[in-house]
Amino acid sequence: MQWITLISTIVGAVIATGSAMLLDRQRWKRERMDRETQARRTLYGDYLAGLSEARHACGNMARDPDMEPSMRRTTAREAFGPCIGLRYQMTISAPSSVVEASEDAFRRLRDLRDQVMEGALATSPVYLEGRRTYDDALALLRARMREDLRVSEDGAAP
């Protein structure tokens, strides 16, 4: 009779310990996923902000027909610089669908920057086409980022 009590106690302790370990592991995994998602959310925001600032600088230069060509090239390069480091962070932190879209947006913005450096003005067809292709690439990038972060159309996370 005493053996049955001892065995029951041991089995109960093993079940309780196993359950606690399983719950801890699940909580750890969930917390790790939350941290990774938050890190990507921050990176995505920083990357979009960098692209936006560079795009805004290009737009300002394209609206200034009196800007010296050397100043235009320098300003365009400086405005685009912060995007480069974030681009590489995207390649190691984001899933491939987001990386592909981020690379495309980066290249379209770089093309637009190059057109502005060459003197394209805001009303020129080449600038307008470059801006349209960049805007399309940016829209796709934002959609892929939202998909990765599991953000719905109304902005709510699941």
Side-chain angles (χ1 to χ4, degrees):
M1 205 62 173
Q2 293 176 355
W3 285 103
I4 293 175
T5 304
L6 181 61
I7 291 173
S8 296
T9 302
I10 291 171
V11 169
V14 167
I15 291 172
T17 302
S19 296
M21 289 174 59
L22 181 62
L23 290 174
D24 280 347
R25 173 117 174 108
Q26 288 174 339
R27 183 176 50 238
W28 174 79
K29 282 174 125 177
R30 186 176 57 249
E31 289 171 355
R32 189 186 82 209
M33 293 291 290
D34 290 345
R35 282 190 306 272
E36 289 173 359
T37 299
Q38 185 58 40
R40 281 195 320 275
R41 179 176 278 116
T42 300
L43 174 60
Y44 293 175
D46 291 347
Y47 189 63
L48 290 174
L51 292 176
S52 177
E53 290 173 17
R55 163 63 187 86
H56 183 70
C58 286
N60 286 340
M61 287 180 284
R63 286 187 290 281
D64 186 357
D66 300 325
M67 185 178 261
E68 296 279 331
S70 62
M71 181 64 150
R72 182 180 292 269
R73 285 189 295 275
T74 301
T75 304
R77 282 191 186 102
E78 287 174 356
F80 197 71
C83 299
I84 295 170
L86 292 169
R87 173 189 185 198
Y88 291 114
Q89 288 182 39
M90 290 290 288
T91 62
I92 63 170
S93 298
S96 61
S97 65
V98 175
V99 171
E100 290 168 7
S102 73
E103 284 292 308
D104 188 46
F106 179 88
R107 288 184 182 113
R108 298 305 137 241
L109 182 57
R110 185 181 57 201
D111 293 345
L112 185 64
R113 178 208 62 184
D114 292 347
Q115 293 164 355
V116 169
M117 286 172 57
E118 293 170 7
L121 296 177
T123 56
S124 70
V126 68
Y127 177 82
L128 294 172
E129 177 62 21
R131 188 173 142 191
R132 187 194 60 73
T133 59
Y134 168 70
D135 288 344
D136 291 346
L138 184 63
L140 177 62
L141 173 59
R142 284 192 308 253
R144 297 251 175 101
M145 287 174 168
R146 292 174 69 85
E147 184 180 293
D148 176 46
L149 296 173
R150 294 177 184 87
V151 176
S152 66
E153 289 300 317
D154 64 1

